[in-house]
Amino acid sequence: MNEQLELYDVTIIGGGPAGLYTAFYSGMRELKTKIIEAQDQLGGRMLAYPEKIIWDVGGVTPIRCEKLIEQLIEQANTFEPTIVLGEHITKYERLEDGTFILTAASGEQHHTRTVIMAIGYGIRKMAKLEIEGADRYEVTNLHYTVQEMEAFRGKRVLISGGGDSAVDWANELEPIAASVTVVHRRDSFGGHERNVSRMKESSVQVRTPYQIDALHSSDGTTIERVTIAHVESQNQEQIEVDAVIVNHGMKSDFGPIRDWGLDMGEWHAHVNERMATNIPGIFGAGDFVSYGSKVYLIAGTFTDAVLALNSAKLYLDPEAYEVAYVSSHNDRFKEKNRALGLAADE
């Protein structure tokens, strides 16, 4: 081992909502903290939907994804954790003293007493449209996410998919697009019930059970028409379009982490009610974990983060309090409150 490696109490792998809130809470518990994120910026998979409006975070009014990321990062930096970007952790080693060495694909190493895995579904890639030659349109009007809604103003938009993202974008684009058509190969949608109802009650044209069968272009660079086919009868029809958005979900790859010996299923690592994995000293939070009452929402992710961090704290110090003081009673916030002009009169 490189004796120059700095030892941390907690190293969080993953810089999405779970990792960011874990870092904040780790600061509340006075632990020396590091975040390691494989991408070159924090935010996790939320970065794919910067203009998506999020409604279901407790105490937060509807907020753009990019703004929520900004606020999570600001909160995570409250206690100044070390942040490492662009490093993909691939393996771990437990030393004789019980601490861990984490090694990145680059060869860089990190020394830590505990690990909290907040890697979501691993390395995620958008599931591409499985039609030969579709990739040629990705530079023009075939999209796998929506970065700027204004780019679709006044356009005829076809959305393929039936999950949360497809339904959400249909609702967001309906007021500004010339038309929105949603094509889904099943009659039922996987999005939140209220959002699905909102979509069906609007001017969005919903075509089920249909799927995209062919893309048509006169110049070979821009999609002008889409052929859709009924899944059962195979009857076809064509729709004129200005833009096509494909939301067929994500393909995930946990890579070498599957070789760590973690108890894992296809999509998640199994943890107990305290977010502990089967490897002592390694805990999990967010979409990466599965347990009996797991809630796959950002709100649930924050609870996972608190539970995982408290477990790490007790692993390091079995005599520690099981939870941190709430912020209104935590001495660490008194000076910060004064700096913000928020301190109560004493």
Side-chain angles (χ1 to χ4, degrees):
M1 184 191 76
N2 185 341
E3 298 296 338
Q4 301 304 312
L5 288 177
E6 190 173 359
L7 178 63
Y8 284 79
D9 295 319
V10 175
T11 295
I12 303 158
I13 305 177
L20 291 170
Y21 195 73
T22 302
F24 166 73
Y25 198 76
S26 185
M28 288 184 66
R29 304 230 58 184
E30 299 190 85
L31 295 175
K32 187 175 180 180
T33 309
K34 176 184 283 187
I35 304 175
I36 303 175
E37 166 57 44
Q39 299 186 78
D40 60 4
Q41 56 184 318
L42 297 169
R45 69 188 180 106
M46 293 173 66
L47 292 168
Y49 313 105
E51 294 199 4
K52 182 177 180 180
I53 304 299
I54 298 176
W55 288 74
D56 55 359
V57 178
V60 178
T61 53
I63 184 172
R64 288 192 184 280
C65 213
E66 59 189 354
K67 182 62 176 178
L68 182 57
I69 293 171
E70 178 184 320
Q71 293 182 179
L72 283 167
I73 292 172
E74 182 178 354
Q75 183 181 50
N77 277 306
T78 301
F79 299 105
E80 301 179 345
T82 296
I83 298 175
V84 178
L85 299 176
E87 283 206 359
H88 178 205
I89 298 299
T90 57
K91 60 183 178 180
Y92 87 97
E93 175 189 0
R94 187 191 294 275
L95 303 181
E96 290 184 3
D97 63 2
T99 62
F100 298 92
I101 293 293
L102 303 176
T103 303
S106 65
E108 289 295 317
Q109 294 187 320
H110 307 269
H111 193 192
T112 187
R113 300 172 71 194
T114 63
V115 179
I116 296 181
M117 306 289 290
I119 61 172
Y121 297 98
I123 302 299
R124 292 171 62 85
K125 296 179 180 179
M126 295 287 184
K128 296 295 187 76
L129 184 63
E130 295 182 355
I131 291 180
E132 186 176 356
D135 56 344
R136 77 181 70 167
Y137 302 114
E138 292 179 18
V139 297
T140 53
N141 63 340
L142 175 60
H143 310 270
Y144 289 98
T145 185
V146 176
Q147 296 292 330
E148 296 181 13
M149 289 211 307
E150 279 299 311
F152 299 89
R153 182 173 292 277
K155 294 185 177 181
R156 299 164 298 179
V157 181
L158 184 145
I159 301 174
S160 178
D164 281 319
S165 294
V167 173
D168 289 347
W169 286 127
N171 287 329
E172 294 296 325
L173 292 172
E174 187 265 345
I176 68 171
S179 65
V180 177
T181 301
V182 174
V183 176
H184 182 38
R185 66 188 316 274
R186 299 183 180 88
D187 286 319
S188 60
F189 285 83
H192 294 302
E193 293 93 334
R194 182 66 193 95
N195 293 338
V196 173
S197 297
R198 176 185 166 198
M199 176 184 70
K200 291 182 176 180
E201 293 164 2
S202 71
S203 67
V204 173
Q205 301 172 55
V206 177
R207 308 303 308 275
T208 62
Y210 279 84
Q211 62 187 8
I212 295 177
D213 192 63
L215 307 175
H216 307 279
S217 171
S218 61
D219 62 6
T221 62
T222 304
I223 303 169
E224 297 164 349
R225 288 169 291 113
V226 173
T227 295
I228 63 173
H230 193 278
V231 172
E232 297 169 357
S233 68
Q234 299 302 309
N235 289 337
Q236 296 183 340
E237 62 180 272
Q238 289 193 355
I239 300 174
E240 293 187 349
V241 300
D242 299 305
V244 176
I245 300 171
V246 175
N247 289 139
H248 290 176
M250 308 285 285
K251 293 183 177 180
S252 301
D253 183 6
F254 291 110
I257 286 174
R258 283 204 176 274
D259 300 326
W260 286 20
L262 292 165
D263 179 11
M264 294 182 66
E266 182 180 1
W267 297 103
H268 313 283
H270 301 124
V271 296
N272 64 16
E273 70 279 0
R274 298 195 63 86
M275 302 301 111
T277 71
N278 59 304
I279 300 177
I282 298 182
F283 307 89
D287 288 339
F288 178 62
V289 303
S290 174
Y291 54 94
S293 56
K294 170 67 180 173
V295 176
Y296 290 99
L297 296 172
I298 294 175
T301 284
F302 297 155
T303 298
D304 292 350
V306 171
L307 292 171
L309 197 285
N310 284 335
S311 293
K313 177 75 173 183
L314 289 170
Y315 177 84
L316 295 172
D317 180 7
E319 301 300 319
Y321 290 111
E322 289 195 3
V323 298
Y325 288 120
V326 296
S327 61
S328 57
H329 297 157
N330 193 312
D331 289 340
R332 303 203 73 188
F333 287 98
K334 289 183 178 179
E335 183 177 341
K336 294 180 181 295
N337 288 344
R338 292 192 186 95
L340 292 171
L342 300 175
D345 294 334
E346 297 181 356

